Amino acid sequence: MVVVIDGKAKAASVIETVREAAAGLEQQTGVKTGLAVVIVGDDPASHAYVNSKSKMAKECGFKSVQHTLPEETTQADLEALVATLNADASIHGILVQLPLPKHLDSVPVIQSILPEKDVDGLSFVNAGKLAAGDLETGMISCTPAGSMLLVRSIHGEDLSGLNAVVIGRSNLFGKPMGQLLLNANATVTMAHSRTKDLAAVCRNADILVAAVGRPQMVKGDWVKPGATVIDVGINRVPAPEKGEGKSRLVGDVAFDEASAVAAAITPVPGGVGPMTIAMLMANTVIAAHHASGKSAPKF
Ligand code: GUN
C-alpha cells in the first residue's frame, strides 16, 4: 500500500515548534518575532496566499504586518518600502509576494532585502550559501525546505545511494531543491522542459520531485516502482462533475496512476502546500533568533 504523506500533519508539528520557539524568545529577550508580507496588485490567488501567510504569522504569536500596494506602484516606491522594512528592528522577515505586476522588475526588489531578513531564501547571499553547502547560517527557500522535510520523513537524513530527479529549475524551487537533495547525499538530476525523454529520466528516480506547473503531467508509467513522489504543483482545473463553473486543485502528478506504483506520494492539496507556509514561519523565527544572538531552533 502506498503511503500518502500527510503534509498537513507535518506542517502542524512545524508550526507548534515555531510557536514554542517564538514564545521562548519573547520570554527570554522581550523580542517578538516580526514578519512583513508585501503584495502588489490584485491577483486573487496571490491575495489568498498572502492572507493565509499573515494569518498564520498571527497564530504563531508573531507581529504580522501586511503591506497591500496598488497595481500602479512604482519600482522606486516598492524599493523604498523594502528599505524601510530593512531598517525596522521589529521586522525579522520580509516577503515580497511573486509574481509582481509586469511593469516591476522583481530582481532588484528581492536583492534589496537584507539577506538576514530574506525569509524566501532568494537573495544571492542565501542562494550562494545553500549552493556552497552552508545550511546553517543562511535562509532556505520555503517550499524546497518543506519538501525536504517530507522526503526526510520517509528516507531519514541520509539519501546516500538514492537517485533523485527534480523536474523544474526555478530559483524559487527547482534549484534549491536540487541543492538540498545533493547536500543529503542523493545523486541528483535536474530535469526541465528541454530534457530529452523526460519519462525515462523520471523512471530512474527513487525520489521524484515534480514542479512543472502542468496539471497531472507526470504519469504512472514515469514512476519507478517503490519511488517516493513529491508533487509541488498546485493547478486549478475545471471540475464539471462538482457542478457548473466549479474547479478543483490537482498537482503536477497524475495521483491515482502514480499511487499505484509509488511507495510514498504527497497529495494535492494537503501535501507540499501546507509545508510552504509552515517553513516561512520557521524561517522567520530562525531570523528572529539570529537577530537576537540566540541559537535558532532546528526543523
Ligand atoms: N509566489 C508563489 N510562491 C511564492 C513564494 O514562496 N514566495 C514568494 N515571495 N512568492 C511566491
Side-chain angles (χ1 to χ4, degrees), residues 37-38 46 49-50 53 94-99 110 119-120 122 141-144 172 276 280:
V37 179
V38 179
S46 289
Y49 288 135
V50 161
K53 288 169 184 175
I94 303 170
L95 180 138
V96 177
Q97 184 69 17
L98 301 173
I110 297 297
V119 282
D120 257 336
L122 287 172
S141 187
C142 308
T143 307
L172 198 55
T276 297
L280 173 64

Side-chain angles (χ1 to χ4, degrees), residues 15 18 53 56-57 60 62 277-285:
I15 291 294
V18 169
K53 288 169 184 175
M56 185 61 86
C60 289
F62 295 179
I277 293 187
M279 296 317 289
L280 173 64
M281 303 303 136
N283 278 348
T284 309
V285 85

Side-chain angles (χ1 to χ4, degrees), residues 21-299:
L25 182 68
E26 193 168 353
Q27 201 173 26
Q28 267 185 23
T29 64
V31 172
K32 197 177 185 69
T33 301
L35 173 65
V37 179
V38 179
I39 179 162
V40 186
D42 310 313
D43 178 60
S46 289
H47 273 270
Y49 288 135
V50 161
N51 289 341
S52 49
K53 288 169 184 175
S54 298
K55 187 165 157 250
M56 185 61 86
K58 285 199 192 90
E59 285 172 26
C60 289
F62 295 179
K63 169 179 169 170
S64 172
V65 182
Q66 185 172 327
H67 292 270
T68 305
L69 304 182
E71 180 81 22
E72 58 274 15
T73 299
T74 64
Q75 186 82 24
D77 286 345
L78 182 55
E79 289 180 22
L81 173 59
V82 171
T84 306
L85 295 170
N86 277 339
D88 183 343
S90 74
I91 295 297
H92 305 101
I94 303 170
L95 180 138
V96 177
Q97 184 69 17
L98 301 173
L100 290 171
K102 287 210 168 37
H103 67 281
L104 295 172
D105 183 357
S106 64
V107 176
V109 176
I110 297 297
Q111 297 306 327
S112 72
I113 298 172
L114 285 175
E116 56 269 33
K117 297 192 180 191
D118 164 37
V119 282
D120 257 336
L122 287 172
S123 71
F124 296 147
V125 169
N126 285 323
K129 282 182 175 181
L130 176 58
D134 173 359
L135 276 67
E136 297 300 317
T137 71
M139 289 279 140
I140 300 169
S141 187
C142 308
T143 307
S147 300
M148 201 59 198
L149 284 194
L150 299 181
V151 169
R152 274 163 42 194
S153 74
I154 300 295
H155 294 279
E157 301 286 325
D158 186 5
L159 308 179
S160 294
L162 296 175
N163 292 327
V165 172
V166 181
I167 322 172
R169 53 175 163 174
S170 67
N171 290 335
L172 198 55
F173 184 79
K175 283 179 198 160
M177 188 71 208
Q179 303 286 2
L180 286 170
L181 290 161
L182 190 60
N183 259 295
N185 303 320
T187 302
V188 180
T189 302
M190 303 288 306
H192 47 78
S193 55
R194 309 289 176 91
T195 297
K196 194 170 157 187
D197 200 353
L198 183 55
V201 171
C202 292
R203 271 194 291 274
N204 191 38
D206 301 298
I207 300 168
L208 178 59
V209 184
V212 278
R214 290 200 189 183
Q216 301 171 307
M217 184 175 115
V218 175
K219 306 298 179 202
D221 65 358
W222 295 27
V223 177
K224 179 176 174 179
T228 295
V229 178
I230 305 291
D231 188 350
V232 185
I234 302 179
N235 310 286
R236 194 162 279 288
V237 297
E241 72 281 3
K242 287 168 68 180
E244 204 189 310
K246 297 279 186 196
S247 64
R248 66 190 174 103
L249 292 178
V250 298
D252 292 345
V253 177
F255 182 84
D256 292 343
E257 290 178 17
S259 309
V261 188
I265 187 167
T266 61
V268 177
V272 171
M275 295 302 292
T276 297
I277 293 187
M279 296 317 289
L280 173 64
M281 303 303 136
N283 278 348
T284 309
V285 85
I286 289 170
H289 279 72
H290 288 165
S292 316
K294 298 284 172 192
S295 66
K298 296 231 182 306
F299 292 90

